[in-house]
């Protein structure tokens, strides 16, 4: 039986409620870890970012944040983690550029679940190496949230593999484990994290890896990253903002024509969905004018792309991700 949210914990909907929660957690964390060091894998997603910000407030430099850039992050994400946590919050941040390591391992791999296993497994290995370089770590912080506990059978648990070896089984610090996502966002905002971090759409652990279908190549991945930034910028203007909206660049080519010459290029697929729980999902209506603007921006600026498509499929039968 999983742990249940304490009845004394009222819903956090206001800044005042978040401030009270933060004060309480800061005290709890200090009581739990004292002057010992804590390690955290900081992806830059809402949960790990809020967890990091709470720990920084509680123990400052005794939190060691490790940000692994596996090459499958969205445009601007590693830079934002460095800017917010190292430059603005003065965090003890270890930035690991593991791009080549991941992309070399993934070269030629086409099966989606094998890709996931490689990404998850390699992530644990990189994190383990960094953990071994640190002296005196006694705790591991995790941005576990309440739905993760309730759905130990859910998507994250289902897809994400791995775990540290036995000799690195530190005691866990999980300050937001009884919060729902909307509450985590209120706490994050109150802690001063930027809106682009606090209101980020869900992003799968394997990142762009499941949206660059089939065998990932660096050029197609780069095209995906650029196209995805355009799609996110434009569709982010919708009100309400969809649950998830992103680009996919599949491993297929079609004919294009430029200066009277035919050539092969990739399509960019636009996907925007709304859902309550990701178990079912509906395609979101995107105004045609917006689609045309996205098309023009992508075709004009993203090398290798000669076609733009819109995926209007619902789940079921189409999963949200393409792999
Ligand atoms: P699907 O594609 O199964 O996705 O409809 C449902 C939700 O789960 C996310 N997703 C993942 N999240 N690791 C994750 O942490 C994964 O491997 C993974 N695959 C899919 C997806 O973005 C959607 O929100």
């Amino acid at each position: 039986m999983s742990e249940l949210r304490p009845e004394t914990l009222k819903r956090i909907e206001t800044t005042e409620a978040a401030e009270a929660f933060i004060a309480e957690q800061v005290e709890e964390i200090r009581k739990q870890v004292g002057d010992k060091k804590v390690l955290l894998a900081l992806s830059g997603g809402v949960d790990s970012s809020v967890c990091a910000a709470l720990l920084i407030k509680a123990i400052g430099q005794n939190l060691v944040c490790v940000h692994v850039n596996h090459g499958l992050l969205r445009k601007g994400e590693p830079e934002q983690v460095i800017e917010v946590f190292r430059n603005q919050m003065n965090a003890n941040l270890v930035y690991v550029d593991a791009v080549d390591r991941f992309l070399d391992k993934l070269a030629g791999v086409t099966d989606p679940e094998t890709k996931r296993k490689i990404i998850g497994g390699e992530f644990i290995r990189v994190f383990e190496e960094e953990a071994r370089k640190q002296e005196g770590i006694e705790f591991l912080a995790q941005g576990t949230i309440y739905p993760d506990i309730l759905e130990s059978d859910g998507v994250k648990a289902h897809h994400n593999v791995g775990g540290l070896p036995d000799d690195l089984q530190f005691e866990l610090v999980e300050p937001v484990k009884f919060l729902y996502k909307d509450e985590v966002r209120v706490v994050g905002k109150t802690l001063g994290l930027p809106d682009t971090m606090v209101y980020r759409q869900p992003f799968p652990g394997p990142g762009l890896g499941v949206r660059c279908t089939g065998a990932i190549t660096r050029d197609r991945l780069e095209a995906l990253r650029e196209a995805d930034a355009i799609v996110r910028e434009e569709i982010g203007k919708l009100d309400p903002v969809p649950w998830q909206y992103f680009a996919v660049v599949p491993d297929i080519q079609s004919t294009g024509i430029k200066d009277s010459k035919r050539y092969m290029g990739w399509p960019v697929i636009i996907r925007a969905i709304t859902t309550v729980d990701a178990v079912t999902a509906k395609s979101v209506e995107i105004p045609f004018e917006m689609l045309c603007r996205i098309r023009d921006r992508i075709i004009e600026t993203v090398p290798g792309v000669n076609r733009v498509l819109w995926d209007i499929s619902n789940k079921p039968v189409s999963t949200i991700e393409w792999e």
Side-chain angles (χ1 to χ4, degrees), residues 116 155-156 159-160 202 204-206 243-244 278 315 319-321:
R116 274 194 173 80
V155 172
K156 269 195 198 172
H159 284 304
N160 296 346
W243 171 278
Q244 269 177 291
K315 176 182 180 179
T319 51
I320 295 170
E321 304 294 343

Side-chain angles (χ1 to χ4, degrees), residues 69-319:
N69 181 358
H70 51 32
L72 304 164
L73 298 169
R74 290 171 293 188
K75 188 171 177 176
E77 282 183 341
E79 294 82 357
Q80 188 184 38
V81 168
I82 292 171
E83 173 56 30
V84 170
F85 287 96
R86 184 179 286 162
N87 301 348
Q88 293 175 20
M89 301 182 96
N90 195 27
N92 189 351
L93 174 73
V94 180
Y95 169 76
V96 188
D97 179 347
V99 176
D100 286 338
R101 200 167 150 170
F102 277 79
L103 296 187
D104 288 350
K105 271 239 147 74
L106 286 164
V109 181
T110 54
D111 175 61
E113 291 315 313
T114 311
K115 284 167 72 178
R116 274 194 173 80
K117 284 207 179 84
I118 291 173
I119 296 164
E122 199 58 18
F123 184 89
I124 290 292
R125 270 187 291 279
V126 172
F127 188 65
E128 181 190 333
E129 284 171 22
E130 291 308 316
R132 291 195 192 285
K133 283 183 202 162
Q134 299 293 325
E135 299 261 307
I137 299 284
E138 293 196 17
F139 295 86
L140 181 73
Q142 282 187 173
T144 313
I145 67 171
Y146 201 41
D148 300 334
I149 296 179
L150 294 178
E151 304 157 20
S152 49
D153 197 27
V155 172
K156 269 195 198 172
H158 171 69
H159 284 304
N160 296 346
V161 287
L164 287 170
D166 284 349
D167 66 314
L168 290 176
Q169 290 300 322
F170 305 114
E171 184 179 326
L172 292 180
V173 183
E174 297 177 300
V176 293
K177 74 175 174 186
F178 291 123
L179 302 193
Y180 286 98
K181 196 73 155 195
D182 59 322
E183 297 178 299
V184 177
R185 293 194 209 276
V186 181
V187 172
K189 188 129 178 82
T190 308
L191 283 164
L193 292 175
D195 281 2
T196 45
M197 219 166 225
V198 170
Y199 297 106
R200 258 174 55 154
Q201 51 171 315
F203 188 54
L208 298 179
V210 291
R211 299 175 183 171
C212 189
T213 70
I216 298 168
T217 58
R218 287 171 194 247
D219 50 0
R220 192 158 52 89
L221 180 62
E222 234 17 77
L224 168 60
R225 202 180 333 263
E226 291 301 321
D228 179 69
I230 294 170
V231 169
R232 284 188 292 124
E233 190 191 321
E234 292 294 342
I235 298 183
K237 294 174 189 163
L238 289 178
D239 184 16
V241 175
W243 171 278
Q244 269 177 291
Y245 48 105
F246 53 85
V248 177
V249 180
D251 188 17
I252 54 170
Q253 291 201 310
S254 73
T255 307
I257 186 153
K258 207 176 186 179
D259 305 325
S260 308
K261 281 203 191 77
R262 286 171 172 259
Y263 70 104
M264 302 305 279
W266 302 298
V268 164
I269 296 159
I270 301 168
R271 184 137 173 81
I273 58 95
T274 173
T275 177
V276 179
D277 51 12
V279 175
T280 62
K282 274 201 162 8
S283 170
V284 168
E285 187 174 334
I286 308 170
F288 191 63
E289 201 185 320
M290 183 178 274
L291 286 169
C292 293
R293 200 163 49 239
I294 294 172
R295 172 201 62 201
D296 292 345
R297 288 185 62 187
I298 289 175
I299 295 296
E300 277 162 26
T301 62
V302 184
V305 173
N306 64 2
R307 208 172 282 269
V308 177
L309 314 173
W310 177 20
D311 178 358
I312 57 165
S313 322
N314 291 334
K315 176 182 180 179
V317 295
S318 312
T319 51

